[in-house]
Amino acid sequence: MVTSTLVVAVLAIVVERVVETRFGLAGVIGLLLLRTGIRHRNATCGCVGATVLLMLVLDP
């Protein structure tokens, strides 16, 4: 139980650092919006966050 919690926490930190390094502040804001939308079951917030991240990934 404790091991799986630690693994999930480490994975979350790694994903956040990769997004921050690769996409900068806009990526962090998109990730925050997506996470907030999922946590609070707010479809609008989640869609905006997902769209921001998608646009950052597809931007050449």
Side-chain angles (χ1 to χ4, degrees):
M1 181 71 174
V2 174
T3 305
S4 64
T5 303
L6 287 174
V7 169
V8 170
V10 167
L11 182 63
I13 291 170
V14 167
V15 167
E16 185 176 343
R17 294 293 178 182
V18 167
V19 168
E20 182 180 1
T21 302
R22 173 116 171 118
F23 302 119
L25 183 61
V28 173
I29 291 171
L31 191 62
L32 179 66
L33 285 169
L34 179 62
R35 186 172 56 191
T36 302
I38 291 171
R39 182 174 294 158
H40 295 290
R41 296 181 188 224
N42 185 341
T44 303
C45 190
C47 287
V48 169
T51 303
V52 168
L53 290 174
L54 182 67
M55 294 306 291
L56 288 171
V57 169
L58 295 179
D59 188 35

